[in-house]
Amino acid sequence: MSYPVSPLASPFPALPEIAGVVPHVVRAGYKDWGRCDLTYVTLEEGTAVAGVFTKNVCCSSEVDLGRENAKLGRARALVVNAGNSNAFTGYRGREAVEQIMEQVAAHIGCPKEQVFVSSTGVIGVPLPKDKAREGVEKALTAEPCSWEDAANTIATTDTFAKGAAATAMVGDTKVKISAIIKGSGMIAPDMATMLGYLFTDAAVEPGFLQACLSAANLRTFSCITVDSDTSTSDTVLAFATGKAGNAPITGFDSPGAHAFAAAIHDVCRQLAHLVVRDGEGAQKFIAVSVSGAVSDESARKVGMAIANSPLVKTAIAGEDANWGRVVMAVGKAGEPADRDKLSIGFGGTWAAQQGLPLADYDEAPVAAHLKGQDISIEVDLGLGEGTATVWTCDLTHGYISINADYRS
Amino acid sequence: MSYPVSPLASPFPALPEIAGVVPHVVRAGYKDWGRCDLTYVTLEEGTAVAGVFTKNVCCSSEVDLGRENAKLGRARALVVNAGNSNAFTGYRGREAVEQIMEQVAAHIGCPKEQVFVSSTGVIGVPLPKDKAREGVEKALTAEPCSWEDAANTIATTDTFAKGAAATAMVGDTKVKISAIIKGSGMIAPDMATMLGYLFTDAAVEPGFLQACLSAANLRTFSCITVDSDTSTSDTVLAFATGKAGNAPITGFDSPGAHAFAAAIHDVCRQLAHLVVRDGEGAQKFIAVSVSGAVSDESARKVGMAIANSPLVKTAIAGEDANWGRVVMAVGKAGEPADRDKLSIGFGGTWAAQQGLPLADYDEAPVAAHLKGQDISIEVDLGLGEGTATVWTCDLTHGYISINADYRS
């Protein structure tokens, strides 16, 4: 963590322990750094698992195997390697992942498909098997650690540790969710993959856990962007131990299902925002709210076109209410839009409505809003009922410094 | 032109006069600046026209009308306003364009659909009709000017004037093409729209001229990017006066048709490169060559994903042979790719082949290549016969300074 802490950082929250989940951290020494870099989390028998993964087709073996095994629905352990992403390493990379899965499975006495592995860091270098073997060996007998230790250990170029929690009433039972995440854009040579893990004591069928995670993903992780680039290793996994003792949630007909789904959504939203708040060079947190689209998905795509526009992001960095750049971004999204129905505002003040600049537009409240750290851009397409909110950060000299002003 | 001249600038070339084409420039005073800002080009009767236009759905009235009227195939005049893009100005903007078309048409004695208008500059402010009327009035009787004067007058935030020329043998007749262009990314408050104009003395049917321009566009203007943002006004028009006296080219069966198409392509490629060379903050010109894709269009999309990646562009700015970022960009393009068949090189030296870093990879020639101004990135997907080359520039502190460090 050699970069200054993000001005948008949040302190690490108090995360409850989750029955059936025990985190540990050790030093495998993947890099020559004085910190733990291997996280090992044990999960009691019967734990359900669900996952969402990068759509990048050049993904790592960890993603290939995790995607395949999450479909089986059960997990007993998670191993996260920091410092080496093991991506673009061919069969040698895959062997290293399978070695870890086998080593942990042998110790626990479970099918190796129930051991999930993630790796983050430099790409193109196969994860060293000897270091992985020694690291895992230590981890298997390590003392439990705090959530904050685990959050720090999965991190690479993050400037602060990230966690979130929520609870939900399922029948008469209060279930808990604790979650950690890492990611801050994609900084080479350590590609700052987003890796997120949710742990809950709720009893949930894997199919419903997957439905909750997939739905939340669409409105949270799929709605954030730092620089439009997509890691080859992005992964979010949810684990449910069932130790809370609630009647298992099997679908939306089960008692508490909606509350549980809402809690998963809430945690995912918190985690997603934390990643944006650690965006490379970020000085401002930007929410782009799109309404009046022909569908929610269309609204999301328009929002992402705005949030990915270097011109919009630099305008916000410059505290400039440049609605013309927003018009441009709407128009290039490839989604239905009508110039003459378009309205654009900042911080709740319309600058243009129905395709025309407001005659009595008062820039003073907008200028004041743009000087703050939390910025909102509102866009109404005037076509339908579709809505979406996406989140990003501004594009600053800090981004260039982090990504260009180094030599590998 | 308040920014320093791009280090990638080229001197303005010697462009031949084109029989039947007369450029003029005057000062309409769209902005309070001491320079000409209205360009007026007359075209002799019988001139064929073809056009390609922005796909941005929030386009200007100029684009709407130009797209419509180019289909009619004939042109007598071109008017280009600099300093006000007239975009996002609703019916008042459209009225200003129609006023110019009518004023010029009345003077020439032609249908107003044969008068083409482009505007570039600040958006959201209707083009002032009085200034346009007086400017056009002056232009109608102005003295002819040089191509360089015209190239300077259509420019807004460009740091150098841009022109290109080519010739082709059509039967026994040498036909000439002279062309000018402006654009350097999209700088607000003057959105740096790309406006390009080709003038030839060849006799060409409008349909074939359009076919040549559309084909060239796919491999040139559609293959460049500065910052992934798309102006609401981008326009390229080609005018053919027929004064060279060749037998009219009606299709690829006509003598000289292939030579003419190649010359149009050549001019478009030169113009497209000039725009990239004036990219905001550009220090390096980058050619991304993609081969082995399932189709040419797939190769183009993969190339554009690489050329639009902030992480690839900052890596080049940092003179870092970061092929991992190229892998990431290939994978996110949404096109067929196979991690284990992918090869990546810089300046003709492979860094990774068939999905693995080269064991004997010698970084020295790559490091030397990256220190230069003209950078090439080679990507082979190993899947098929599709190829494309796209061009971009690096992403530097200069880009942020131009786009964020001002107050409008």
Side-chain angles (χ1 to χ4, degrees):
Chain A
M1 298 200 187
S2 53
Y3 293 106
V5 173
S6 168
L8 306 175
S10 306
F12 196 80
L15 297 192
E17 291 188 18
I18 303 297
V21 180
V22 184
H24 320 72
V25 297
V26 298
R27 189 169 162 191
Y30 291 125
K31 286 178 65 170
D32 186 18
W33 50 9
R35 49 160 277 193
C36 288
D37 52 9
L38 189 151
T39 307
Y40 172 59
V41 183
T42 55
L43 304 159
E44 286 214 8
E45 199 163 356
T47 294
V49 64
V52 292
F53 301 90
T54 182
K55 289 180 180 161
N56 194 304
V57 299
C58 294
C59 62
S60 66
S61 293
E62 282 83 342
V63 168
D64 279 340
L65 287 160
R67 186 184 279 129
E68 209 171 297
N69 294 333
K71 290 181 190 151
L72 304 175
R74 296 294 165 190
R76 291 302 304 283
L78 167 70
V79 175
V80 184
N81 306 300
N84 184 322
S85 79
N86 198 35
F88 211 61
T89 55
Y91 69 93
R92 285 178 292 171
R94 186 165 175 124
E95 284 174 3
V97 184
E98 293 190 329
Q99 174 193 292
I100 293 172
M101 291 164 67
E102 283 160 13
Q103 188 180 0
V104 172
H107 178 81
I108 293 179
C110 70
K112 73 172 186 172
E113 289 75 19
Q114 297 186 6
V115 178
F116 288 79
V117 181
S118 302
S119 304
T120 174
V122 66
I123 87 163
V125 181
L127 194 71
K129 284 190 196 175
D130 51 343
K131 288 184 178 168
R133 187 182 302 279
E134 284 166 35
V136 170
E137 196 60 38
K138 277 193 275 182
L140 296 176
T141 55
E143 292 296 311
C145 72
S146 69
W147 284 123
E148 187 165 3
D149 284 346
N152 273 314
T153 302
I154 65 172
T156 52
T157 50
D158 304 62
T159 75
F160 63 96
K162 304 176 183 72
T167 60
M169 289 307 297
V170 176
D172 292 336
T173 310
K174 186 192 230 176
V175 304
K176 296 179 283 189
I177 305 170
S178 287
I180 57 175
I181 197 164
K182 60 86 57 178
S184 61
M186 293 190 58
I187 306 175
D190 301 302
M191 295 176 81
T193 291
M194 184 183 79
L195 298 179
Y197 307 100
L198 289 74
F199 304 94
T200 176
D201 54 6
V204 195
E205 279 302 302
F208 186 69
L209 186 62
Q210 183 67 52
C212 291
L213 184 64
S214 296
N217 175 55
L218 272 184
R219 285 270 177 182
T220 58
F221 302 115
S222 293
C223 289
I224 60 170
T225 178
V226 169
D227 56 11
S228 83
D229 280 332
T230 309
S231 156
T232 49
S233 306
D234 287 339
T235 297
V236 177
L237 292 166
F239 302 100
T241 64
K243 295 295 165 189
N246 60 292
I249 308 174
T250 57
F252 276 113
D253 293 341
S254 303
H258 287 279
F260 178 74
I264 291 282
H265 186 116
D266 180 38
V267 167
C268 289
R269 187 186 46 73
Q270 292 181 58
L271 295 178
H273 286 195
L274 289 169
V275 172
V276 172
R277 288 186 172 278
D278 209 2
E280 297 160 2
Q283 299 284 329
K284 294 176 191 286
F285 180 84
I286 307 171
V288 181
S289 297
V290 178
S291 57
V294 295
S295 69
D296 288 353
E297 180 58 12
S298 182
R300 189 187 73 83
K301 285 183 179 166
V302 170
M304 289 298 270
I306 297 166
N308 275 327
S309 162
L311 288 174
V312 171
K313 293 156 79 84
T314 48
I316 299 299
E319 301 180 348
D320 177 42
N322 198 309
W323 57 267
R325 295 186 183 186
V326 179
V327 175
M328 173 280 302
V330 170
K332 75 165 184 163
E335 292 297 311
D338 180 339
R339 181 186 64 200
D340 299 332
K341 291 182 176 168
L342 188 56
S343 300
I344 291 166
F346 297 91
T349 303
W350 291 115
Q353 280 190 310
Q354 278 86 47
L356 286 174
L358 283 192
D360 59 350
Y361 170 49
D362 177 10
E363 206 172 345
V366 172
H369 173 73
L370 291 180
K371 288 197 189 307
Q373 258 188 355
D374 281 279
I375 306 300
S376 72
I377 301 175
E378 296 91 28
V379 172
D380 190 286
L381 301 178
L383 298 178
E385 302 295 316
T387 64
T389 300
V390 307
W391 300 276
T392 189
C393 52
D394 54 346
L395 175 57
T396 69
H397 283 289
Y399 183 86
I400 306 293
S401 295
I402 292 169
N403 286 296
D405 299 353
Y406 74 91
R407 293 295 181 283
S408 61
Chain B
M1 301 203 186
S2 53
Y3 292 105
V5 173
S6 168
L8 307 175
S10 305
F12 196 81
L15 297 192
E17 291 189 18
I18 302 296
V21 180
V22 184
H24 319 73
V25 298
V26 298
R27 189 168 164 191
Y30 292 125
K31 286 178 68 171
D32 186 18
W33 52 9
R35 49 161 276 192
C36 288
D37 50 11
L38 189 151
T39 307
Y40 171 60
V41 183
T42 54
L43 304 158
E44 287 215 7
E45 199 163 358
T47 295
V49 63
V52 293
F53 301 90
T54 182
K55 289 181 179 162
N56 194 305
V57 299
C58 294
C59 63
S60 66
S61 293
E62 282 82 343
V63 168
D64 279 340
L65 287 160
R67 188 183 278 128
E68 210 171 297
N69 294 334
K71 290 181 191 152
L72 304 176
R74 294 294 164 193
R76 291 301 305 281
L78 168 71
V79 175
V80 184
N81 306 301
N84 184 323
S85 79
N86 198 35
F88 211 60
T89 55
Y91 69 92
R92 285 178 294 171
R94 187 166 173 120
E95 283 173 5
V97 183
E98 291 189 332
Q99 172 192 291
I100 293 172
M101 290 163 67
E102 283 158 14
Q103 187 180 359
V104 173
H107 178 82
I108 293 180
C110 71
K112 72 173 186 171
E113 290 73 19
Q114 296 185 6
V115 179
F116 289 78
V117 181
S118 303
S119 302
T120 175
V122 66
I123 87 164
V125 180
L127 193 73
K129 285 190 198 174
D130 51 345
K131 288 184 179 167
R133 188 181 303 279
E134 285 166 35
V136 170
E137 196 59 40
K138 276 193 275 182
L140 295 175
T141 55
E143 290 297 310
C145 73
S146 69
W147 285 122
E148 189 166 3
D149 283 347
N152 274 313
T153 302
I154 65 172
T156 53
T157 50
D158 304 60
T159 75
F160 63 96
K162 304 174 183 72
T167 59
M169 286 310 296
V170 176
D172 292 335
T173 312
K174 186 191 227 178
V175 304
K176 295 180 282 187
I177 306 170
S178 288
I180 56 175
I181 197 163
K182 59 86 59 179
S184 61
M186 293 189 56
I187 306 173
D190 301 301
M191 294 175 82
T193 291
M194 183 184 81
L195 298 179
Y197 307 100
L198 288 74
F199 304 93
T200 176
D201 54 5
V204 195
E205 279 302 301
F208 186 70
L209 186 62
Q210 183 66 53
C212 291
L213 184 63
S214 296
N217 176 55
L218 272 186
R219 286 271 177 182
T220 59
F221 303 115
S222 293
C223 289
I224 61 169
T225 179
V226 169
D227 56 11
S228 82
D229 281 332
T230 311
S231 157
T232 50
S233 307
D234 287 338
T235 298
V236 177
L237 292 167
F239 303 100
T241 64
K243 295 294 165 192
N246 59 293
I249 309 174
T250 58
F252 276 113
D253 294 339
S254 302
H258 287 278
F260 178 74
I264 291 283
H265 185 116
D266 180 38
V267 167
C268 289
R269 186 185 47 74
Q270 292 182 56
L271 295 177
H273 285 195
L274 289 169
V275 171
V276 171
R277 289 188 172 277
D278 208 3
E280 298 160 1
Q283 299 284 327
K284 292 175 191 288
F285 180 83
I286 307 170
V288 181
S289 298
V290 178
S291 57
V294 294
S295 69
D296 288 353
E297 179 58 12
S298 182
R300 191 187 71 84
K301 286 183 179 164
V302 169
M304 288 298 270
I306 298 166
N308 276 326
S309 163
L311 288 175
V312 171
K313 292 156 78 85
T314 48
I316 299 300
E319 302 180 349
D320 177 42
N322 199 310
W323 56 268
R325 296 186 183 185
V326 179
V327 175
M328 174 279 302
V330 170
K332 74 163 186 168
E335 291 298 310
D338 180 337
R339 181 186 63 200
D340 299 331
K341 291 181 177 168
L342 188 56
S343 300
I344 292 165
F346 297 90
T349 304
W350 292 113
Q353 279 191 311
Q354 277 88 47
L356 287 174
L358 283 194
D360 58 349
Y361 171 47
D362 177 9
E363 207 171 344
V366 172
H369 174 72
L370 292 180
K371 287 196 191 309
Q373 262 190 351
D374 280 279
I375 306 301
S376 70
I377 301 176
E378 297 90 28
V379 172
D380 190 286
L381 300 177
L383 298 178
E385 300 297 315
T387 63
T389 300
V390 308
W391 300 276
T392 189
C393 53
D394 55 345
L395 175 57
T396 68
H397 284 289
Y399 183 86
I400 306 292
S401 296
I402 292 169
N403 286 296
D405 301 352
Y406 73 93
R407 294 295 179 283
S408 62

